[in-house]
Amino acid sequence: MHEIGVRETVQFAGFTFNWETLCMTWLTMAVVILIAFLATRSLKLVPSGWQMVVELIVNWLHGQIDAMMGKSGRFLAPFIVSLFMFLLVSNWLGLIPTLSSPTNDLNTTLALALIVIVMVHFLGLYKKGMHYVAHFFQPTPVFVVFNVIEEIAKPITLSCRLFGNILAGEILIIVLLKLMPIWMPIPAVCWLAFSIFIGGVQAVIFTMLSMAYLANVVKEEEES
């Protein structure tokens, strides 16, 4: 069992790195790549096994992309699918004894949120040019202050929501396993099942909010 709030850090080139988070992030990426490999190594017309599971996820996400962004957002499908798969595996990784979720570290969730927000502004400038900048001054120039605050709040709320839910779930599992006798694991097992559900829900929420932010700059006017 790992201690709550204790993180192993390493120093490199004057920077401090959370070694546990780095290792769990690499492990998460390896698992996602393995799942992709298992799903595509022997493609069948009638899917089964890993191919069926991944195709269900991909088809569902493609449907959400079309609904929220329209056809103009389909080029973002690889990013959206990869983001969701990373979040799903990452959220569930900490439920395995001796392992922890990369998303129980605010550094990870904030980095993911910043990637999304930076993509939003980059695509907004690329597709709309100065018209994108002008919308921050609407309906009157004084609203630029509120619009900037809103943009700053997006990555903060997006990251803290995911971080808080995943960390709380792992803490409660650790506490329950320490408090419950070895012959009375039912509460811990029930909370474990609930945490699996919450991990999936949080991956969906983060991905849906990311798509909503991206849709604002990607969706064409005639599709709005």
Side-chain angles (χ1 to χ4, degrees), residues 132-203:
Y132 178 72
V133 178
H135 94 277
F136 286 100
F137 297 86
Q138 300 297 328
T140 61
V142 71
F143 271 78
V144 67
V145 177
F146 302 102
N147 289 328
V148 170
I149 293 175
E150 180 185 6
E151 294 303 314
I152 294 174
K154 283 179 180 178
I156 296 175
T157 56
L158 196 60
S159 59
C160 288
R161 181 187 297 107
L162 178 59
F163 160 72
N165 279 279
I166 300 305
L167 182 62
E170 292 188 12
I171 289 175
L172 282 175
I173 287 176
I174 293 172
V175 172
L176 286 173
L177 289 175
K178 285 184 175 292
L179 294 178
M180 292 297 107
I182 190 67
W183 47 268
M184 191 180 172
I186 295 177
V189 171
C190 291
W191 185 258
L192 177 63
F194 183 68
S195 295
I196 293 174
F197 171 74
I198 291 298
V201 169
Q202 290 303 315

